[in-house]
């Protein structure tokens, strides 16, 4: 085991207050493309840039096209995916009382599927859906089984409880995330390009000296980290 991995293993073994902050790179080893890698969702060719499609304006103005993209490119891959070694290891550390929370930008529900209990979903989840008129709640199956735009019997549109571009994050979730990060002994950041705010800005609340960055590519925060490993997250965590 190389020296960096030995250091990481030591920090993990000695801590009972680990917090994990992750992004789409946590789920690529489960077969869900991320957004900004070369084979990511945002590099694929569409009529409009994907960031335009997964926006509030697009949902309200081009609802049919929104749901066509959302069901095919965001829901289907997530429902077909299974937790990978990274999800499973994080759930194991929580069960052992070592990890306090997973804070994720992902909407695929894979951390919960792996057994993690304290999961803060900054950008929401595809599993929760609600009528934009009466607020009635619907499971993800209702969305996948509806042809075209999922409608509520009241006439409203059933939309995902996902934070789209132009929409705000849940402040309650943000406050809890800040609390976990500011009290964390070890903060592990994994599988995220750290380019989308306010999520990426949360890491400035970390006050410890064990900031670990596990990411395939370089990020703007590499120089601020105490330990950086550019490798596949699942492969790294499964060695610990
Ligand atoms: N192991 C480690 N890192 C990986 C792996 C892997 N197996 N696969 C990909 N990565 C890295 C990539 O190198 C990239 O830096 O994960 C990062 C994923 O970055 P993005 O695709 O930008 O995803 P993310 O950071 O989660 O995007 C944030 O952008 O569009 C919004 O709401 C969307 O939540 C998303 C947000």
């Amino acid at each position: 085991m190389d020296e960096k991995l030995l250091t990481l293993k030591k920090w993990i073994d000695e801590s009972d207050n680990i917090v994990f902050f992750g992004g789409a790179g946590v789920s690529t080893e489960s077969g869900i493309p991320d957004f900004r890698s070369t084979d990511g969702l945002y590099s694929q060719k569409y009529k409009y840039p994907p960031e335009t499609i997964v926006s509030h304006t697009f949902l309200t103005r081009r609802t049919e096209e929104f749901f066509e993209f959302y069901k095919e490119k965001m829901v289907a891959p997530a429902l077909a995916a299974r937790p990978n070694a990274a999800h499973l290891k994080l759930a194991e550390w929580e069960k052992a009382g070592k990890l306090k929370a997973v804070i994720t930008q992902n909407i695929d529900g894979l951390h919960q599927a792996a057994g993690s209990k304290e999961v803060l979903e900054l950008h929401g989840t595809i599993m929760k859906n609600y009528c934009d008129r009466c607020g009635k709640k619907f499971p993800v199956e209702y969305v996948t089984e509806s042809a075209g735009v999922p409608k509520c019997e009241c006439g409203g549109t059933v939309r995902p409880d996902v934070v789209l571009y132009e929409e705000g994050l849940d402040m309650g979730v943000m406050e809890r995330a800040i609390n976990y990060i500011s009290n964390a002994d070890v903060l592990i950041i994994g599988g995220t390009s750290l380019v989308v705010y306010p999520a990426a800005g949360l890491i400035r609340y970390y006050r410890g000296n064990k900031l670990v960055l596990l990411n395939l590519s370089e990020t703007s925060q590499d120089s601020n980290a105490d330990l950086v490993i550019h490798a596949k997250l699942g492969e790294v965590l499964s060695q610990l």
Side-chain angles (χ1 to χ4, degrees):
M1 191 180 277
D2 78 9
E3 185 229 331
K4 278 187 174 184
L5 219 47
L6 282 171
T7 304
L8 178 55
K9 182 163 174 29
K10 181 171 178 296
W11 289 357
I12 299 291
D13 292 348
E14 289 170 355
S15 181
D16 62 359
N17 182 357
I18 300 164
V19 171
F20 181 80
F21 178 91
V26 180
S27 296
T28 52
E29 290 165 77
S30 294
I32 303 177
D34 65 15
F35 296 97
R36 294 175 184 84
S37 290
T38 41
D39 58 350
L41 193 61
Y42 294 164
S43 318
Q44 296 169 27
K45 290 287 152 269
Y46 296 102
K47 228 160 89 180
Y48 310 94
E51 282 107 319
T52 307
I53 302 175
V54 287
S55 71
H56 185 82
T57 303
F58 214 88
L59 170 62
T60 42
R61 296 258 177 83
R62 296 176 180 274
T63 314
E64 288 79 6
E65 289 170 272
F66 171 88
F67 275 100
E68 192 184 325
F69 180 91
Y70 171 72
K71 285 193 214 178
E72 183 196 332
K73 293 294 172 185
M74 305 191 87
V75 178
L79 295 183
R82 291 292 163 269
N84 63 57
H87 298 107
L88 294 169
K89 181 59 76 172
L90 293 169
E92 184 191 308
W93 285 344
E94 181 187 48
K95 212 177 268 120
K98 300 176 72 57
L99 181 133
K100 292 289 177 244
V102 166
I103 300 163
T104 184
Q105 298 169 89
N106 297 347
I107 59 174
D108 56 32
L110 287 179
H111 285 293
Q112 292 90 332
S116 288
K117 300 282 176 258
E118 185 66 350
V119 181
L120 281 67
E121 293 169 310
L122 298 175
H123 293 162
T125 173
I126 60 164
M127 301 305 177
K128 292 181 186 148
N129 304 268
Y130 63 90
C131 171
D132 65 4
R133 179 184 288 182
C134 70
K136 184 178 175 189
K137 291 182 172 45
F138 293 84
V140 66
E141 292 74 19
Y142 187 85
V143 174
T144 50
E145 284 152 22
S146 302
V149 178
K151 301 298 276 181
C152 175
E153 60 267 15
C154 81
T157 298
V158 175
R159 61 153 289 170
D161 191 2
V162 165
V163 179
L164 303 174
Y165 278 102
E166 302 163 351
E167 294 182 338
L169 277 70
D170 179 317
M171 282 304 115
V173 176
M174 284 286 279
E175 273 165 35
R176 285 170 55 217
I178 290 169
N179 198 30
Y180 278 118
I181 291 172
S182 52
N183 291 310
D185 166 34
V186 179
L187 174 63
I188 303 176
I189 300 169
T192 175
S193 59
L194 292 171
V195 298
V196 172
Y197 284 76
L202 285 176
I203 66 170
R204 69 167 176 268
Y205 291 95
Y206 177 62
R207 296 178 296 183
N209 57 2
K210 298 189 184 81
L211 174 60
V212 180
L213 231 175
L214 305 178
N215 204 64
L216 214 44
S217 58
E218 262 194 60
T219 73
S220 60
Q221 295 302 316
D222 282 26
S223 54
N224 298 336
D226 300 298
L227 180 69
V228 181
I229 301 177
H230 291 143
K232 286 192 165 189
L233 187 64
E235 289 174 11
V236 172
L237 296 193
S238 50
Q239 293 177 63
L240 296 175

